[in-house]
Structures are given as structure tokens and as C-alpha cells.
Amino acid sequence: RSCPELERLGHCHNCRVFIKASRRLLERELPPGYLEEWALAVAQPKEIEDTGTESILIFRLANELMALATWTCEEVCEPRQIHTVPHLSSPVFLGLVNLRGEIQPCFSLAAALGITADPASAAAWIAMRQRGDVWVFPVDEVLTVQRVGEGALSAAPVTLGGSHVSFTTAMVDWNGRRVDLLDPNLVVQELARRLA
């Protein structure tokens, strides 16, 4: 800021002295080995990233490991009180819950999928947003968020046991265990059917 020309020119980029110095810097002789070094660097094979990856939330219902695409999961929170609704409560529809000041329906995903689990012993709730609505369900454990490539997804075999096979779009191997990736649309259809 001590240059007398700065006030008149406004910035060093407008100064002829600066322009000449930068030209000298850019037009100087290259150091020995510079071109060869960059030729080797550019010639290296590029690492191709697997762009077909999906982020999934893995959770446990009783002894079964399930997963949902993380974009469907709006929130994971601690369980709170479930308020039963007279003449509406069932093994699948548990009642209403307060989620951030909004009343939301709470379901037993385990019961809807035919898995024996106690909603009262849930360690967490997952709030799933689908079709513009929020669907809350208790889970026994939230394990991790995992990024999986399309190559890591395998089709669910027809011989897979359990009624939740019809909700499974793919299977993922996680730490040597099978994880069923659930179709959020099918899950929501089933929960809505059980609510009607």
C-alpha cells in the first residue's frame, strides 16, 4: 500500500511494472526435468470413481438387518412417548408421536414386515419422508450410514425366508452379514394399508 501509483490505478493488476514482472515470471526458462515430470504425472491412468453409489442407513429390527436409502430418512431420534388412538391402534399402527412439535403417525415396521420385535424396547426412532408425509417407526438399533456401489447390491433370492422379502429390493453385504435394502414406496404402501 506504499506505492504512489496505487491510488491512481486502483489495483496492482493495472500497473505496467506489475504486468512486466508477471510476464518475466511466466516466460522464464523451465527448470530441467519439468516437462518430463509433468508428462509422467499426466500419463498416469486416472482413477475412475464409481458414480453409481448410494448412501444407505443400516438399522436392526430384532435379529434382522435392514437398510433404507438415506435420502428417505428425515431424522433419527431417541424414542419418546407414543400416544395411542382409541379404536385405531393395532400391532402395526402404534399411535401418534410428537416429532419436533408436529404430530406424526408411528408404526411398527417390524410388525408390518412380519418380524417379531417389541416396540417398547426400541433404541431409536427413524422418521422417513415419502410421498410428502412423515412415517415414524421404532428400531432396535441404528448401526451406520454406508455408501454402497451398484456392484455391491445383489438381488434378493426367491428362497429368502421371511415375509419382508416382498419389500426387499436388493441385498448388501455389510461386515459379513446380509442387509435387506427396503423399497420405501412398498413400505409406505403397506403402512398406509394397515392404517386404513
Side-chain angles (χ1 to χ4, degrees), residues 5 15 20 29 35 43 58 67-68 70 89 91 134 143 145 162 170 176 178:
E5 296 294 314
C15 176
K20 284 181 185 175
E29 287 291 319
L35 289 177
I58 301 175
L68 281 166
T70 53
S89 296
V134 175
L143 296 164
V145 173
R178 185 194 83 219

Side-chain angles (χ1 to χ4, degrees), residues 145-157:
V145 173
Q146 187 78 30
R147 200 162 236 344
V148 292
E150 288 179 14
L153 300 174
S154 59

